[in-house]
Amino acid sequence: MLISLVGYMGSGKTSVASILSEKLQCKWLDLDHEIENFEKIKISEIFKQKGEIYFRKLENQLLEKLLQSPEPMILSLGGGAPMFYNNMELLLERSESFYLFASPAELAKRLAKGKEQRPLIQHLSDDELPEFIAKHLFERNPKYQMAKYTINTQGLSPEQVADEIIQKL
Ligand code: S3P
């Protein structure tokens, strides 16, 4: 079985996937890490050197390939992957999908640190983050909500989120 985690930047996909992988003794792949391994440079550099469209095409291709895998695994997706992926039906069919929800205020708090690594928000000041995220999340929510389950991560540690996911499996 495949388990996919979707959600906005800072929603905890990577931390939760890593914990899930230990708890379930299951392989874990992170789509952003796969892209970085493939290109041999960081995501922020891919955006800078080759542009977002190049990144999205690669993201699409690698996701499509990973979803064909017969091997059980946990798959954490980058925050924008569901927006640009043109085969959401396959993702929903091939995986138990989870949307990790957090409010814009909470996400802004979490994202204030480490913004430099995230090309879509690195130009924003901490004061601009909450409004940007609120609008962006509003646009993205319909796609995230296509996931089979939504987990409200507000006030939960990544370990508690992982436990909620396990309960639903
Ligand atoms: C993006 C999210 C990032 C990464 C890229 C674009 C987005 O992944 O894929 O910077 O469009 O939301 P995380 O959600 O893991 O930060």
Side-chain angles (χ1 to χ4, degrees), residues 12-20 28 158:
K13 299 172 303 270
T14 310
S15 324
V16 171
S18 148
I19 296 171
L20 267 181
W28 158 46

Side-chain angles (χ1 to χ4, degrees), residues 2 4 6 31 56-57 59-68 75 77 80-95 97 143 146-147:
L2 268 155
S4 62
V6 303
L31 190 53
R56 296 303 177 190
K57 284 187 181 156
E59 187 178 47
N60 242 278
Q61 285 165 9
L62 287 175
L63 179 55
E64 184 84 5
K65 195 173 121 210
L66 291 175
L67 290 174
Q68 314 289 342
L75 195 53
L77 271 57
M83 308 316 122
F84 295 89
Y85 187 47
N86 49 25
N87 201 355
M88 276 302 275
E89 297 72 27
L90 183 68
L91 180 91
L92 301 177
E93 187 187 301
R94 292 281 301 130
S95 67
S97 48
K143 275 284 175 77
M146 288 173 80

Side-chain angles (χ1 to χ4, degrees), residues 127-163:
D127 289 345
E128 289 168 327
L129 264 184
E131 201 186 326
F132 175 88
I133 294 172
K135 181 167 171 282
H136 209 194
L137 189 60
F138 182 74
E139 287 165 4
R140 288 182 163 193
N141 245 332
K143 275 284 175 77
Y144 292 151
Q145 283 169 346
M146 288 173 80
K148 184 166 174 189
Y149 303 102
T150 295
I151 308 281
N152 186 349
T153 69
Q154 210 79 3
L156 298 185
S157 67
E159 170 143 25
Q160 288 169 320
V161 175
D163 287 338

Side-chain angles (χ1 to χ4, degrees), residues 14-103:
T14 310
S15 324
V16 171
S18 148
I19 296 171
L20 267 181
S21 151
E22 274 184 32
K23 287 191 183 244
L24 297 173
Q25 287 296 298
C26 179
K27 177 173 169 172
W28 158 46
L29 288 182
D30 181 87
L31 190 53
D32 282 346
H33 295 163
E34 292 303 300
I35 295 169
E36 290 183 334
N37 289 342
F38 184 81
E39 285 287 305
K40 311 261 184 303
I41 47 172
K42 293 266 163 212
I43 302 281
S44 50
E45 280 302 309
I46 304 176
F47 269 69
K48 220 189 280 172
Q49 294 177 17
K50 305 196 168 172
E52 180 172 359
I53 298 296
Y54 178 87
F55 171 80
R56 296 303 177 190
K57 284 187 181 156
L58 204 53
E59 187 178 47
N60 242 278
Q61 285 165 9
L62 287 175
L63 179 55
E64 184 84 5
K65 195 173 121 210
L66 291 175
L67 290 174
Q68 314 289 342
S69 166
E71 208 184 344
M73 70 171 106
I74 295 149
L75 195 53
S76 42
L77 271 57
M83 308 316 122
F84 295 89
Y85 187 47
N86 49 25
N87 201 355
M88 276 302 275
E89 297 72 27
L90 183 68
L91 180 91
L92 301 177
E93 187 187 301
R94 292 281 301 130
S95 67
E96 288 289 270
S97 48
F98 290 85
Y99 167 28
L100 306 190
F101 170 83
S103 70

